[in-house]
Amino acid sequence: MTPDDLEARLAAAVDEAIPARLRKEFVEHLARQPVLVARQGIFSAQGRAFAYQLSFRSGGHVSEPLTWGPRQHERATAHVLGATFGRSDLETVAHGRLLFVRCPRAYLVGDLTIPRRPDRLVIEITDTQTVDARLIAGVRRLRQQGFQVAIPAFYGSAEQMRLLPHADFVKIDVRDLDVEGAPLVDVARSYGAMLIGEFVETPQMLRQARELGFTLFQGNLLERAGVLDRTTARQLSPGA
């Protein structure tokens, strides 16, 4: 049994130990919370919106994601996917563009369900994953279903290099370009992926990324993340 299997069993046992009354109260509590999602644009070199990055937002206080465990990341992703694809009026979020969502391991290997919207959803592989044969097989399966895949925060680790042949997009933190420079960029695009310069904060960062051949850009210089309220959008039935 793998560590992932042990962790999943432990999490399931903890969930089962919660009394039905508390489960019901928690569900009712969630129903009263605003359904929020953050959105930040990804732009072309000409300044046109190419796609959007979606991320978790909560109406109440939550701990920092850096302190989260696998279950918290899974629930955050479920929230983003549900708020976006599980409700009506998707195009008020997408505007005809791709939507990047970070998906932890359980979504990649098929333990959790991904919405069947390869026309909109780009699956970002979270940068903390252990890349093994099962994960690679899951990524291949998703691409066969038509999904595009992105690697965020690329710095050339051994795990990321295993994923690189399966990536349609590769994101590089432009704040690292002074140190990493052209060699990292050349590796990132060696399999034909489109490069996205992320964390673009200054005109100098944008100029440097352009000179190194980046074609897409994301960061506060171009657009700060805004928060969309999806509370009033009608929930869709499963499979809709």
Side-chain angles (χ1 to χ4, degrees), residues 15-223:
D15 285 346
E16 289 175 4
I18 299 174
R21 177 181 58 80
L22 291 181
R23 289 175 183 272
K24 182 174 183 293
E25 290 177 359
F26 182 67
V27 170
E28 291 173 350
H29 168 73
L30 289 181
R32 295 191 295 269
Q33 296 299 303
V35 180
L36 308 177
V37 65
R39 184 183 70 184
Q40 185 179 41
I42 299 172
F43 296 89
S44 70
Q46 292 74 37
R48 292 192 291 269
F50 171 83
Y52 294 110
Q53 175 86 51
L54 302 182
S55 54
F56 175 77
R57 288 295 185 274
S58 170
H61 173 75
V62 294
S63 59
E64 287 295 321
L66 290 175
T67 68
W68 290 358
R71 299 285 284 188
Q72 288 168 299
H73 282 289
E74 290 167 10
R75 286 167 179 158
T77 299
H79 173 91
V80 173
L81 295 175
T84 306
F85 298 96
R87 291 179 178 257
S88 61
D89 303 323
L90 172 64
E91 291 307 320
T92 64
V93 178
H95 298 294
R97 300 181 176 95
L98 296 171
L99 301 172
F100 284 60
V101 177
R102 292 196 176 189
C103 295
R105 179 184 179 89
Y107 287 93
L108 304 175
V109 300
D111 291 342
L112 293 174
T113 303
I114 289 177
R116 295 180 181 178
R117 292 301 305 265
D119 58 319
R120 286 286 179 268
L121 177 59
V122 176
I123 298 168
E124 276 200 13
I125 301 173
T126 53
D127 50 10
T128 57
Q129 299 303 320
T130 299
V131 179
D132 55 18
R134 189 180 180 212
L135 189 138
I136 292 289
V139 171
R140 285 175 172 162
R141 183 168 56 251
L142 289 167
R143 295 191 81 210
Q144 290 170 355
Q145 294 170 6
F147 288 99
Q148 296 185 82
V149 170
I151 303 175
F154 183 81
Y155 59 96
S157 70
E159 291 81 6
Q160 290 174 329
M161 292 301 296
R162 290 191 67 189
L163 290 168
L164 196 56
H166 312 289
D168 301 281
F169 302 93
V170 175
K171 290 186 171 186
I172 295 178
D173 188 335
V174 298
R175 298 171 297 185
D176 297 335
L177 291 178
D178 285 337
V179 176
E180 303 292 348
L184 180 65
V185 173
D186 290 341
V187 170
R189 63 183 169 204
S190 59
Y191 286 90
M194 295 183 69
L195 300 188
I196 302 174
E198 56 181 346
F199 299 106
V200 178
E201 304 290 337
T202 68
Q204 292 79 8
M205 290 178 178
L206 180 60
R207 181 170 60 251
Q208 183 182 18
R210 283 176 170 168
E211 290 171 352
L212 285 171
F214 286 78
T215 54
L216 296 171
F217 310 89
Q218 179 182 356
N220 289 338
L221 175 69
L222 305 170
E223 181 182 68

